[in-house]
Amino acid sequence: MTTMIKKNSLALLALLALLAPLTTQAQEEVKIGRQNITITDGRMTPEALWAMGRISSYAAAPDGKHIVYQVGYYSVKHNKSHHVLYMMNADGTGQQLLTTSAKNETDAAWLDAQTIAFISGGEIWSMKLDGSERRQLSQTDGNVEGFKFSPDRKKVIIIKSIPYHGSIKENPSDLPKATGRLVTDLMYRHWDHYVETIQHPFLYTVNDGFTIANTGIDILEGEPYECPMEPFGGIEQIDWSNDSQCIAYTCRKKTGVMYSISTDSDIYIYNIGTRATTNLCKPADYVEPEVDVTKTLKYQAVNAESNLKNMPGYDQNPKFSPDGKHIAWLSMARDGYESDRQRLCLYNLETGEKTFLTESFDSNVDDFCWSDTKDAMIYFIGVWHATENLYAITHKQQVVQLTDKWADFGSLQMLNNGKQLLAERHSYTEPADLYLITPNSKKVEKTVITQITEENKHILSQLNKPKVQQRWVSTTDGNQMLYWIILPPNFDETKKYPTLLFCEGGPQSPVSQFWSYRWNFMIMASQGYVIVAPNRHGLPGFGSEWCEQISGDWTGQCMSDYLVAIDDAAQNLPYVDKDRMGAVGASFGGFSVYYLAGHHDKRFKCFIAHDGAFNLEAMYTETEENWFSNWEYDDAYWNKNRTANADKTYKNSPHQFVDKWDTPILCIHGEKDYRINATQGMSAFNAARMRGIEAQLLIFPDENHWVLKPQNGILWQRTYFGWLDRWLK
């Protein structure tokens, strides 16, 4: 979910949130680089996890000879991060650190084959391949939050924040120290902040290919809409036409209540010469059907078959084709459904014809890129059977699988030679590194994959890796479910191990081969635990019917799937100790834990729930993106004519079954989590203690739905394993 965290665009969403820049003072005081750490027994530790460098953005030079990429390093001692840029040859040789100061240098892009643009101190800078000849290009008082140069380098889009008082009124000027906020509409909070600014794209001219003019044109001037879109959108939501005359951008042109219940974003084209804007998704005379904001949009006129041609769902991340004749973007069909299947839409700029290219792929397209060749194939990554692999769309609009690894690929781009792709790849046992892929569209086994970075080799070489296995089991509705088994390093099949049932968030996020800096299966296995991670109903990668089954049935089939998986492991895997089992999870996984606490028939000896929903009636009006609750619950809880699914949802809320709780539970929550408010975790903990159940509450006043600060991350890991060890070892 975007709402209980959808790993969608982009497994990069989590990385982007982690890359919070240092304050100016911190930049001056702390220079953090690659850290050496000695591991004595081959076990992953929290300290080793936080010592790892984290590769994020990367870009290939126009001539395909070099790659610049960004790495974040974290200091537990200083509780700070430092983000730096590296340069290397396209084959991975000749790696060179370009960043030499304690300032963050991020968002690298190529101006030409010898010149790199990047952000430092909120301004755009440039430098040569070796880091020399640095010059500041923009003068915005440190307000640059993203940028993209036009192909002809005569213009640049700069993302900046502007004041916004659509939902929170501006305080009187004679009360400059007043901290109160007068709220007048919904969407006054988003993710982890109060919405008092929004981002807009500004168009600037560039003189002599380098110097950026001091003032720019807000291409959304006077419009109270954000671009890129909250909470995770970035420069990928904007693209330049090949002739540098047009800008494509993503925007949801709604505010307040209508914003909070709708996922309807569109792709717009802004013509620089005429300053005219065209909506590519909807006709100019489109009138949106009226909706009841207290009910799911699933059955309302906006999602009627006759209106789907107007593309009322999520549309984002446009990319022009190399020949300039087409534009493609990621598209969901229905309004109000943030986890709808994400398809690839192709738009003919001459005829206005739209074609959906991935209808034969019954799962999500998570990222894509055009080839650089004249025939302009499209490559994409998508999840199928719990892995994120690489696919191609042929000239006949057929989908062909190019890789079949037990791994997740992410964020594709061509290496600008038309023959190779550059991508990040990670798995349960490998953090992100960069890979070159030479695709073969005829035989998947002939696709060549070459690793070109080894950012954490100095740490990984000291660690004993867990073993990863797949197992299929029959579900109670007669289907087959895949679940992952992660075994401890130095696994001994004659021993019995404490075992964890991992409950996924989302609720529609894949249990693919993700690498997490919190919910990390390698560190869990390294602490001596077997992990059982089911791809239950409600997850993408097994067809739309499987994925969509969960909506309106949070406590039915998916909960049965969890129990089927853990029972299968306990009964058929001799190394699983059925007397030492725990259940853990975050977001929807935390909700699952709270529900299982009242329905597990003494299977588990302890529980851990992070940022989970506990009281669904309260969550309906607490969460900020109301479209999620509307779609998943069907109705507001006060509707007397609510559907049977809505009635079942509210009656089966975990808080209704606290009287059946009988097992120790650790509740974790961030107070800046405006997706699932901290009162949910506090209520669960309070209820457990009032019932006389052993419980702990780990509360983070300064964290959101994730845990981003190094010392908080270490505290999270130590508390997590301390609780598990207390009850399962």
Side-chain angles (χ1 to χ4, degrees), residues 459-479:
I459 297 176
L460 295 173
S461 63
Q462 302 179 66
L463 298 173
N464 297 321
K465 284 189 175 183
K467 294 180 180 178
V468 179
Q469 299 176 350
Q470 282 187 349
R471 185 174 174 86
W472 291 82
V473 64
S474 295
T475 57
T476 57
D477 66 348
N479 286 297

Side-chain angles (χ1 to χ4, degrees), residues 340-355:
D340 207 351
R341 183 165 64 91
Q342 188 158 254
R343 308 159 299 166
L344 191 60
C345 178
L346 180 71
Y347 183 93
N348 187 314
L349 289 164
E350 295 177 353
T351 67
E353 179 185 8
K354 302 185 186 81
T355 306

Side-chain angles (χ1 to χ4, degrees), residues 556-658:
Q557 189 61 50
C558 66
M559 295 300 167
S560 172
D561 291 349
Y562 282 139
L563 297 179
V564 162
I566 197 65
D567 286 350
D568 180 71
Q571 294 165 13
N572 297 303
L573 304 178
Y575 49 82
V576 169
D577 190 339
K578 64 182 179 60
D579 295 320
R580 292 188 294 161
M581 299 194 306
V584 302
S587 199
F588 181 83
F591 163 87
S592 302
V593 167
Y594 288 142
Y595 182 79
L596 290 173
H599 298 84
H600 69 110
D601 296 327
K602 299 189 182 300
R603 286 175 174 84
F604 302 109
K605 293 299 185 290
C606 72
F607 294 105
I608 299 178
H610 182 154
D611 288 351
F614 172 68
N615 182 331
L616 295 185
E617 285 194 3
M619 169 140 173
Y620 182 84
T621 48
E622 284 182 351
T623 194
E624 87 286 46
E625 291 180 347
N626 295 94
W627 62 73
F628 173 76
S629 298
N630 269 349
W631 192 275
E632 296 299 314
Y633 307 171
D634 273 4
D635 268 296
Y637 61 84
W638 58 80
N639 283 340
K640 303 305 180 186
N641 63 341
R642 66 192 190 193
T643 66
N645 274 346
D647 200 49
K648 179 176 67 174
T649 296
Y650 292 119
K651 288 181 177 178
N652 284 286
S653 176
H655 79 286
Q656 302 281 10
F657 301 96
V658 172

Side-chain angles (χ1 to χ4, degrees), residues 162 200-202 216-224 275:
I162 64 171
H200 270 197
F202 288 76
I217 299 169
D218 181 354
I219 68 172
L220 286 175
E221 186 174 3
E223 297 188 60
R275 297 194 181 183

Side-chain angles (χ1 to χ4, degrees), residues 14-31:
L15 284 172
L16 289 171
L18 284 166
L19 301 183
L22 297 174
T23 64
T24 302
Q25 181 181 4
Q27 290 172 351
E28 294 171 353
E29 294 176 350
V30 182
K31 181 180 178 182

Side-chain angles (χ1 to χ4, degrees), residues 421-423 425 430 433-437 449-452:
L421 289 153
L422 174 62
R425 195 182 87 171
E430 297 173 327
D433 269 304
L434 298 183
Y435 289 75
L436 288 184
I437 304 159
I449 304 170
T450 305
Q451 185 173 349
I452 57 172

